[in-house]
Amino acid sequence: MELRQLRYFMEVAKREHVSEAAEYLHVAQSAISRQIANLESELGVSLFKREGRNVKLTAIGKIFLEHTETAMKAIDYAKEQIDEYLDPERGTIKIGFPTSLASHLLPTIISAFKEEHPNVAFHLRQGSYKFLIESVKKRDINIAFLGPVPVEDQSIEGHILFTENLLALVPSHHPLAERDNIRLRDLRNEDFVLFPKGFILHKMAFDACKQAGFMPNISSEGEDLDAIKGLVSAGIGVTLLPESTVSETTPRFTTKLPIHTPQLQRTVGMIIPRNRDLAPSDKIFYKFVKTFFERLEQYK
């Protein structure tokens, strides 16, 4: 079994068409067909079945693809580690981040890091809470920033960088907008604008309202922070957001209100895999970020 055969197999499986895979790989169609036939002969099974001009994975082909992808990721990761071991200052760091940390935290950290390590490259991937955790586990990314930091998953290691409050964002004409702070229960009769169910910020807001003794009336939903803020600006409802998402400027026609009862907070930090070592460039970045926030704490 050769790496070339596995790469050909994965590309055909992805495109479900031998000629398209051949065109993408810049090799003859006959060469791909021959290598896959050799692979099937070695395994003793059929990996594909023909459906018109296309090919589809067989049941055993789907299983083999899953294991092949895992193996190839491990091989690619090993190659990256070797390259970065030779020159960690020219590696590529794969980082995941959620939308709630995209506007302030991530640019601040990367900008500071690039001042000291200008030749290190970044590959950034935005995603949901669950997506980022799974991506770290599956080697798609090596480090992810998250809030809150998961503590119960034994396959990842979390490091808390800071803790922040959740606050209420209300339309500027709202009766509560003149207050210095509020109880969360003061919003029990309001319409809420939240992320859809399945988003971590939806769960945090819902659980907070439940803790305050009521179930939020969700009138509208938005899948990103700008949409949520825009709906509040339009007077559609109120929302709960982490403080860092509105730290620099308050959206137009809105007012942010601290919540004193109950005290609502989330942790923000990084996760890395627990069962494998980071590449040299990743280790440099990981250590840099921890030191960066430790210094910030000292200056407070």
Side-chain angles (χ1 to χ4, degrees), residues 112 116 161 287-300:
E116 296 185 18
L161 298 172
K287 182 178 179 181
F288 174 88
V289 175
K290 289 198 293 184
T291 302
F292 182 85
F293 278 92
E294 286 169 1
R295 288 173 180 167
L296 285 182
E297 284 297 319
Q298 291 174 0
Y299 291 135
K300 284 185 178 180

Side-chain angles (χ1 to χ4, degrees), residues 24-55:
Y24 176 79
L25 294 167
H26 303 292
V27 297
Q29 181 175 334
S30 59
I32 289 184
S33 297
R34 183 171 60 254
Q35 291 299 331
I36 289 180
N38 292 341
L39 181 60
E40 290 179 321
S41 177
E42 182 177 347
L43 294 172
V45 296
S46 295
L47 299 171
F48 294 100
K49 57 184 177 181
R50 286 207 163 271
E51 290 188 4
R53 292 187 174 183
N54 288 31
V55 293

Side-chain angles (χ1 to χ4, degrees), residues 10-290:
M10 289 172 59
E11 199 59 43
V12 173
K14 174 184 176 181
R15 299 176 183 276
E16 298 185 338
H17 205 286
V18 176
S19 61
E20 289 182 8
E23 182 178 352
Y24 176 79
L25 294 167
H26 303 292
V27 297
Q29 181 175 334
S30 59
I32 289 184
S33 297
R34 183 171 60 254
Q35 291 299 331
I36 289 180
N38 292 341
L39 181 60
E40 290 179 321
S41 177
E42 182 177 347
L43 294 172
V45 296
S46 295
L47 299 171
F48 294 100
K49 57 184 177 181
R50 286 207 163 271
E51 290 188 4
R53 292 187 174 183
N54 288 31
V55 293
K56 300 280 187 179
L57 286 169
T58 61
I60 193 64
K62 292 179 181 178
I63 295 174
F64 186 69
L65 175 63
E66 182 180 343
H67 290 289
T68 299
E69 289 176 336
T70 300
M72 295 305 289
K73 284 179 183 177
I75 292 170
D76 290 342
Y77 181 72
K79 175 65 165 59
E80 289 175 8
Q81 283 198 308
I82 291 173
D83 292 341
E84 292 185 21
Y85 178 81
L86 296 173
D87 190 356
E89 289 292 338
R90 293 187 179 274
T92 298
I93 302 171
K94 296 179 181 179
I95 297 175
F97 64 97
T99 181
S100 64
L101 300 177
S103 62
H104 180 68
L105 180 139
L106 198 66
T108 300
I109 292 173
I110 291 181
S111 177
F113 182 80
K114 292 288 282 184
E115 288 184 5
E116 296 185 18
H117 307 275
N119 296 319
V120 174
F122 286 90
H123 178 84
L124 305 177
R125 182 69 183 271
Q126 183 175 333
S128 68
Y129 191 77
K130 291 182 180 179
F131 170 82
L132 294 174
I133 292 174
E134 289 303 312
S135 294
V136 170
K137 291 180 181 179
K138 295 190 297 184
R139 299 178 185 269
D140 292 332
I141 55 179
N142 304 323
I143 299 172
F145 291 94
L146 280 182
V149 179
V151 294
E152 297 180 355
D153 196 320
Q154 296 302 310
S155 60
I156 58 175
E157 178 182 328
H159 179 81
I160 296 173
L161 298 172
F162 63 91
T163 300
E164 65 175 336
N165 294 324
L166 268 65
L167 49 75
L169 190 70
V170 304
S172 55
H173 57 73
H174 194 281
L176 295 174
E178 299 299 322
R179 293 198 189 177
D180 293 330
N181 53 62
I182 62 170
R183 299 175 304 163
L184 182 55
R185 187 166 175 78
D186 293 335
L187 301 176
R188 62 188 180 279
N189 296 321
E190 302 293 332
D191 290 332
F192 275 77
V193 178
L194 297 181
F195 283 84
K197 191 174 182 180
F199 283 68
I200 189 64
L201 289 180
H202 174 102
K203 183 179 186 305
M204 292 178 67
F206 192 89
D207 290 349
C209 293
K210 189 175 178 181
Q211 181 183 348
F214 68 96
M215 306 295 278
N217 176 40
I218 304 171
S219 62
S220 301
E221 294 180 338
E223 294 194 356
D224 59 62
L225 282 169
D226 286 339
I228 298 289
K229 294 174 184 177
L231 290 169
V232 175
S233 296
I236 302 299
V238 303
T239 194
L240 301 180
L241 291 175
E243 191 171 10
S244 62
T245 63
V246 288
S247 60
E248 293 187 337
T249 58
T250 304
R252 292 181 63 194
F253 311 122
T254 68
T255 299
K256 54 187 180 184
L257 295 171
I259 300 169
H260 65 77
T261 307
Q263 186 178 25
L264 305 176
Q265 295 183 321
R266 76 162 180 174
T267 56
V268 176
M270 299 181 288
I271 61 169
I272 59 174
R274 191 184 296 274
N275 56 357
R276 69 176 189 270
D277 288 335
L278 293 176
S281 297
D282 295 330
K283 288 181 180 178
I284 292 173
F285 180 76
Y286 186 68
K287 182 178 179 181
F288 174 88
V289 175
K290 289 198 293 184

